[in-house]
Amino acid sequence: MEEDESASAGGAGGKAHSSRAAAIGQRLRLDIINGRLPPGSKLHLEELREELGVSLSPLRESLTRLVAEGLVTSQDQRGFAVAPVSRENLLEVIDLRTILETKALKSAIDKGDDAWEAEIISAHHVLSKLDDQRWVEPYFEQWEQRHKAFHDALIRASNAPLLLSFCQTLFDMSHRYRKLFVRKNPPRRDIAAEHKELLAATLKRDADSACRILARHIETTGKNILLAMKAGSQGSAR
């Protein structure tokens, strides 16, 4: 109770409370995205509190934030649960990601400077070093982190905090689907060539081409996930 009361008093206690909630949320977000917490599984507050070594107040706050991000669901009297996965949800994620990420890229190309160009070149170089080992342990997670860093770098110069936040949330939701389904059924896809093409168009400041390439890149990911989901459901039905 002392911890919660100090948080509600504002000042240093409130900042510490908010910081704890953010850290808890990031831990849970990664566990959900990476599949450690399966879709639809119930999130028991007491179990999580003991596992994470935190009080209930910042835990509830972090879960509420994840509800707003679409990674957790909340129902009256039934508590919290990991958001389920579905074909309909995936299609919405891919559609929104295509719209918002291309919007952010177009803005970044318009506003980006030489430092931004250097950042995306560097992010692409680091990503490309693991392209041949994308599906190999222990490099899979490293490639995924570098992949996100490249996509983040592409749109960062848009300088639109709310838009960038939405893009990051949608990217994480898409990643969750890829981790759950595509990793078990890797597609035949030259994603390295797609990234090179996207980088080249961006550096040329050809916004129309870059956005078209990015849209196709995201939509291809969606199609591959749908195929993997279908293959998984057929396999489980046998």
Side-chain angles (χ1 to χ4, degrees):
M1 287 299 295
E2 292 179 359
E3 180 182 4
D4 293 345
E5 289 171 0
S6 66
S8 63
K15 291 180 180 179
H17 173 89
S18 180
S19 178
R20 281 192 293 273
I24 296 166
Q26 180 62 13
R27 163 75 181 274
L28 293 173
R29 181 184 295 106
L30 290 174
D31 285 345
I32 292 170
I33 291 170
N34 293 326
R36 193 183 78 82
L37 292 172
S41 59
K42 293 190 69 64
L43 297 171
H44 301 284
L45 293 180
E46 280 299 326
E47 292 179 5
L48 288 174
R49 185 187 66 78
E50 292 182 8
E51 178 183 345
L52 299 173
V54 298
S55 66
L56 288 175
S57 180
L59 177 58
R60 285 197 187 95
E61 181 177 329
S62 66
L63 288 170
T64 300
R65 293 178 182 179
L66 293 174
V67 170
E69 293 181 22
L71 293 174
V72 168
T73 61
S74 175
Q75 295 181 327
D76 292 340
Q77 307 302 321
R78 298 180 65 180
F80 297 95
V82 178
V85 294
S86 68
R87 181 180 184 276
E88 292 72 23
N89 177 252
L90 171 64
L91 290 174
E92 183 178 14
V93 168
I94 295 299
D95 184 48
L96 290 175
R97 188 182 165 202
T98 301
I99 294 169
L100 297 184
E101 209 165 316
T102 54
K103 179 181 178 63
L105 179 59
K106 185 174 183 179
S107 178
I109 290 174
D110 180 56
K111 299 176 182 178
D113 56 13
D114 290 346
W116 168 68
E117 289 188 3
E119 182 183 5
I120 60 176
I121 291 171
S122 175
H124 177 264
H125 174 70
V126 172
L127 172 64
S128 66
K129 293 174 74 70
L130 289 181
D131 280 336
D132 292 339
Q133 298 156 305
R134 179 186 177 196
W135 301 109
V136 180
E137 292 290 358
Y139 302 107
F140 175 81
E141 291 298 340
Q142 293 180 39
W143 187 92
E144 288 291 343
Q145 292 170 7
R146 297 181 185 190
H147 183 220
K148 182 176 181 179
F150 173 61
H151 277 268
D152 286 348
L154 282 170
I155 62 177
R156 189 169 296 123
S158 63
N159 196 28
L162 191 57
L163 175 60
L164 290 173
S165 177
F166 287 147
C167 287
Q168 290 174 359
T169 296
L170 290 166
F171 187 96
D172 286 344
M173 295 176 79
S174 174
H175 169 77
R176 180 189 181 212
Y177 275 92
R178 290 194 299 109
K179 185 72 180 286
L180 288 170
F181 299 102
V182 179
R183 191 177 182 186
K184 299 176 183 177
N185 299 279
R188 293 182 179 179
R189 179 182 184 185
D190 192 350
I191 199 167
E194 294 178 29
H195 287 149
K196 287 180 182 178
E197 185 183 18
L198 177 57
L199 175 66
T202 300
L203 293 176
K204 288 180 181 178
R205 306 289 179 136
D206 185 345
D208 289 341
S209 293
C211 289
R212 184 169 58 252
I213 293 166
L214 178 58
R216 185 173 68 239
H217 178 71
I218 296 170
E219 289 164 358
T220 299
T221 293
K223 291 176 182 177
N224 286 336
I225 295 171
L226 285 172
L227 288 173
M229 290 176 74
K230 184 177 180 179
S233 63
Q234 290 176 341
S236 63
R238 293 191 184 101

